[in-house]
């Protein structure tokens, strides 16, 4: 398969009275990253494989229209204002209770139906390797309190690293949890599933969930299918007789991250392409989601159906349902405080 970036023209449109664009970052080693202001999202990541051929390791579509209409709304997006789940779509701040749309069973998921992924962000691109997206989420939008100003920037380094930085401020106390929701396939999007990728997650614990996928216990990974401390294939234990995996049809769980951003919290490689990706973050959690719920209705950039396990996500974030679980690292953002967070996706060839 020959991979190339989708045409910029297919991303120049108008959505919700705003013009949309495609932005292309390039580095000295031939890597290219395409981004859209619709959802401040990653559209494509062209990275060299072990033979020096470029593969697009990010799932997605070749036009903005397809993103807008897809079954899976979260390809490559900045998920917010609260990524992942809030139980029953409710939480309290300073004694006042807030109600969100329940768009995932009884939960609120990824900031609601019209979360950050469905917004057209403002943008500024001033170098070939850097783009910034801005969004002001109004007080009450999707049920959250406070006018929240958010900036998400993407840079591409000559070390084949995508650096994502988040910054947010609110004029009232609120909650925040931001992540990037790219589905990766290190053999190239549309090129089979990710089950034979080798994955390592440097976590000793993960968050087990109840029948609504809300965390109800922090469990040691040792002796479970969730032990990725040494590299193993995603396939190895995904079909284990483990009620957590059976209920979710695969991995869809948050791992506790205690590794500082100077070292990878997770690493993945595919023996077929030789492409390796290391994930580094300041966040206390990383959600491994193996694309269990993909329907096959969406047809990706190269014309292939996205079936279950067509891609995996490593979503760096705070723990699900943190606003209702005070013992978790806090997701509260006080009026006037500045929220910052940083995640790197670093590509190389597996030795
Ligand atoms: C969630 C999955 C959900 C998916 C939607 C993931 O972050 O954990 O349960 O189906 O997002 O794209």
């Amino acid at each position: 398969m020959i991979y190339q970036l989708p045409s910029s023209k297919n991303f120049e449109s108008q959505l919700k009275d705003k013009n949309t664009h495609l932005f292309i970052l390039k580095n000295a080693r031939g890597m290219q990253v395409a981004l859209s202001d619709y959802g401040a999202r990653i559209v494509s990541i062209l990275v060299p494989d072990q033979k020096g051929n470029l593969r697009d390791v990010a799932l997605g579509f070749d036009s903005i229209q397809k993103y807008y209409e897809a079954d899976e709304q979260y390809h490559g997006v900045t998920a917010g204002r609260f990524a992942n789940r809030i139980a029953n779509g409710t939480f309290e701040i300073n004694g006042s209770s807030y109600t969100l749309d329940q768009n995932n069973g009884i939960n609120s998921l990824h900031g609601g139906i019209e979360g950050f992924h469905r917004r057209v962000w403002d943008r500024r691109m001033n170098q070939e390797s850097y783009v910034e997206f801005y969004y002001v989420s109004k007080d009450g939008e999707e049920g959250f309190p406070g006018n929240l100003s958010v900036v998400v920037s993407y840079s591409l380094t000559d070390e084949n690293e995508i650096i994502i930085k988040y910054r947010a401020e609110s004029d009232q106390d609120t909650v925040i949890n931001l992540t990037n929701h790219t589905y990766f396939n290190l053999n190239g999007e549309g090129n089979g599933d990710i089950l034979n990728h080798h994955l390592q997650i440097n976590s000793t614990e993960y968050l087990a969930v109840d029948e609504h996928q809300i965390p109800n216990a922090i469990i040691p990974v040792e002796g479970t299918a969730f032990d990725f401390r040494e590299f193993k294939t995603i396939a190895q234990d995904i079909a284990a007789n483990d009620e957590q995996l059976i209920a979710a049809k695969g991995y869809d769980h948050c791992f506790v991250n205690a590794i500082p951003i100077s070292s990878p919290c997770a690493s993945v490689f595919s023996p077929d392409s030789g492409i390796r990706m290391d994930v580094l973050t300041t966040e206390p959690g990383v959600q491994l989601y193996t694309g269990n719920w993909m329907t096959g209705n969406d047809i990706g950039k190269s014309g292939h159906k996205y079936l279950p396990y067509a891609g995996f996500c490593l979503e760096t974030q705070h723990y699900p349902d943190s606003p209702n679980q005070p013992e978790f690292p806090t997701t509260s953002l006080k009026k006037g405080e500045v929220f910052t967070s940083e995640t790197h996706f670093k590509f190389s060839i597996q030795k």
Side-chain angles (χ1 to χ4, degrees), residues 43-300:
V43 167
S44 287
I45 304 174
L46 285 181
V47 57
D49 66 14
Q50 61 202 354
K51 295 192 176 137
N53 298 320
L54 292 175
R55 301 202 192 199
D56 186 349
V57 297
L59 272 58
F61 306 106
D62 59 7
S63 74
I64 193 148
Q65 215 52 41
K66 290 185 189 162
Y67 277 98
Y68 194 75
E69 289 162 4
D71 266 20
E72 171 51 49
Q73 281 290 304
Y74 302 103
H75 280 287
V77 301
T78 299
R81 175 182 311 200
F82 199 95
N84 216 315
R85 295 173 172 79
I86 296 181
N88 301 306
T90 61
F91 62 95
E92 277 189 13
I93 299 178
N94 306 332
S96 304
S97 110
Y98 296 91
T99 306
L100 315 169
D101 283 334
Q102 297 173 333
N103 60 338
N104 171 253
I106 59 174
N107 305 313
S108 165
L109 177 69
H110 296 330
I113 295 166
E114 296 289 318
F116 290 180
H117 61 290
R118 295 276 290 178
R119 307 284 170 175
V120 179
W121 295 53
D122 292 320
R123 71 306 285 174
R124 183 162 67 210
M125 183 172 179
N126 43 19
Q127 297 160 34
E128 235 196 359
S129 57
Y130 182 81
V131 64
E132 268 175 6
F133 297 103
Y134 302 85
Y135 182 64
V136 179
S137 170
K138 292 265 160 36
D139 180 25
E141 187 180 288
E142 294 297 305
F144 292 98
N147 291 296
L148 181 83
S149 309
V150 196
V151 187
V152 180
S153 69
Y154 292 87
S155 39
L156 175 62
T157 72
D158 285 338
E159 285 70 52
N160 284 0
E161 188 165 28
I162 300 171
I163 297 181
I164 310 177
K165 290 189 185 175
Y166 304 88
R167 187 179 197 281
E169 246 177 306
S170 172
D171 64 358
Q172 280 180 52
D173 294 359
T174 190
V175 293
I176 191 159
N177 194 19
L178 300 176
T179 194
N180 180 273
H181 203 288
T182 298
Y183 288 89
F184 298 96
N185 183 326
L186 301 183
N187 291 328
E189 68 78 33
N191 190 9
D193 63 45
I194 48 76
L195 293 171
N196 287 329
H197 284 37
H198 294 236
L199 170 64
Q200 181 183 42
I201 303 178
N202 293 312
S203 294
T204 56
E205 294 173 313
Y206 81 100
L207 278 71
V209 293
D210 68 12
E211 72 271 29
H212 301 296
Q213 283 189 270
I214 296 299
N216 59 3
I218 299 185
I219 308 273
V221 296
E222 187 162 11
T224 75
F226 292 82
D227 192 347
F228 282 96
R229 289 173 297 169
E230 302 290 330
F231 273 108
K232 68 179 180 190
T233 61
I234 294 175
Q236 185 173 306
D237 293 329
I238 199 171
N241 187 16
D242 178 310
E243 59 182 30
Q244 291 286 319
L245 290 172
I246 294 167
K249 288 199 352 184
Y251 294 100
D252 191 3
H253 293 81
C254 189
F255 288 75
V256 171
N257 176 40
I259 309 283
I261 191 163
S262 48
S263 301
C265 64
S267 302
V268 199
F269 69 90
S270 164
D272 298 344
S273 65
I275 296 173
R276 173 182 173 122
M277 181 176 82
D278 293 303
V279 182
L280 303 96
T281 190
T282 56
E283 286 293 317
V286 54
Q287 177 97 1
L288 168 64
Y289 175 51
T290 45
N292 319 338
W293 304 108
M294 296 221 168
T295 57
N297 293 336
D298 291 334
I299 311 283

Side-chain angles (χ1 to χ4, degrees), residues 316-348:
T316 57
Q317 57 186 252
H318 275 57
Y319 306 166
D321 197 37
S322 295
N324 295 312
Q325 307 215 23
E327 63 286 7
F328 288 173
T330 187
T331 48
S332 106
L333 178 65
K334 300 268 185 248
K335 172 182 175 172
E337 264 178 19
V338 178
F339 166 88
T340 58
S341 163
E342 184 168 336
T343 290
H344 302 188
F345 295 116
K346 187 172 196 316
F347 296 90
S348 59

Side-chain angles (χ1 to χ4, degrees), residues 13-26:
S13 180
Q14 269 222 327
L15 278 181
K16 302 170 189 180
D17 297 330
K18 286 187 126 179
N19 292 329
T20 62
H21 312 83
L22 192 72
F23 300 86
I24 304 198
L25 308 184
K26 295 182 177 173

